Amino acid sequence: DTINTHDIHILVDLDGYCQGACPEIFTLRPAPIQITMNCGTMGSRSGIDYIIGDEFTIPEHHRSHFSEKIIYMPNILCNGVADLDADSSRMRTKYGISDDAFVYASFSQPYKIDPELFAVWMEILVRQPNSLLVLLRFSAAMEANLRKEAIKHHVANDRLVFLNLVQRREHL
């Protein structure tokens, strides 16, 4: 009702099927034009008309997998945050990450980190000595288990950095 009351003509989805999102709103077609800036199709029954991407996020050979019409724009960052004004040096200092370290990161839910994937990540860290992996902290047990597994893969505990949940702009 709020969307209709305000006579919204273009409705943009930034969250897709992430936790806390409301993709079902788009199936009700509350706006004449509905767009997503997600890094993947929402599916043919989503109510989404267009997806915004670039040649990297939606390569030509993947077009057939999208039900949405594709709007190509240069240098799109997934989830619609293109203008990040973060001071990376300040952020690194805040989290104890040296300026010369290469940072890999995954902000996925713990259930998405299976042993095979984690082993690949650990192999990458072994091969890249001046790098570390940043993960979200969901529980002390999860953190302890992953640190124990890292040691089994010959990766020191200080190469895993666990962060508490923060606002989207900060973690990007």
Side-chain angles (χ1 to χ4, degrees):
D1 284 342
T2 302
I3 295 167
N4 287 324
T5 302
H6 289 88
D7 200 25
I8 305 265
H9 295 283
I10 300 173
L11 189 60
V12 180
D13 165 52
L14 298 178
D15 293 322
Y17 294 113
C18 294
Q19 182 178 2
C22 300
E24 62 276 7
I25 290 173
F26 290 88
T27 63
L28 300 173
R29 302 264 344 143
I33 298 172
Q34 301 186 150
I35 301 172
T36 185
M37 292 183 74
N38 254 322
C39 290
T41 183
M42 294 291 290
S44 62
R45 296 186 175 192
S46 66
I48 300 291
D49 303 303
Y50 299 93
I51 183 167
I52 296 175
D54 61 21
E55 297 297 329
F56 178 77
T57 58
I58 308 173
E60 180 73 31
H61 62 280
H62 287 177
R63 277 184 164 187
S64 64
H65 302 293
F66 287 80
S67 57
E68 304 88 351
K69 293 178 186 101
I70 301 169
I71 300 171
Y72 281 103
M73 296 180 73
N75 307 314
I76 292 297
L77 177 65
C78 293
N79 295 320
V81 184
D83 181 25
L84 297 178
D85 197 20
D87 177 352
S88 65
S89 180
R90 183 183 58 81
M91 299 303 286
R92 285 173 175 263
T93 301
K94 178 178 179 178
Y95 295 110
I97 300 170
S98 70
D99 285 337
D100 63 339
F102 188 89
V103 178
Y104 297 98
S106 172
F107 302 115
S108 296
Q109 295 282 333
Y111 72 87
K112 295 180 180 180
I113 304 172
D114 63 28
E116 184 178 317
L117 175 64
F118 193 73
V120 169
W121 290 347
M122 295 303 98
E123 180 64 26
I124 291 169
L125 292 180
V126 166
R127 291 181 183 201
Q128 299 297 319
N130 194 29
S131 65
L132 53 90
L133 176 62
V134 173
L135 299 165
L136 286 179
R137 178 180 290 122
F138 285 91
S139 72
M142 172 217 162
E143 182 175 342
N145 288 338
L146 291 179
R147 288 189 186 283
K148 189 184 324 176
E149 287 301 310
I151 294 297
K152 290 179 186 177
H153 290 277
H154 310 288
V155 174
N157 274 322
D158 64 347
R159 302 207 36 221
L160 296 183
V161 177
F162 289 87
L163 304 180
N164 294 321
L165 290 171
V166 295
Q167 294 296 316
R168 181 184 299 186
R169 288 186 65 80
E170 188 172 342
H171 85 248
L172 290 176

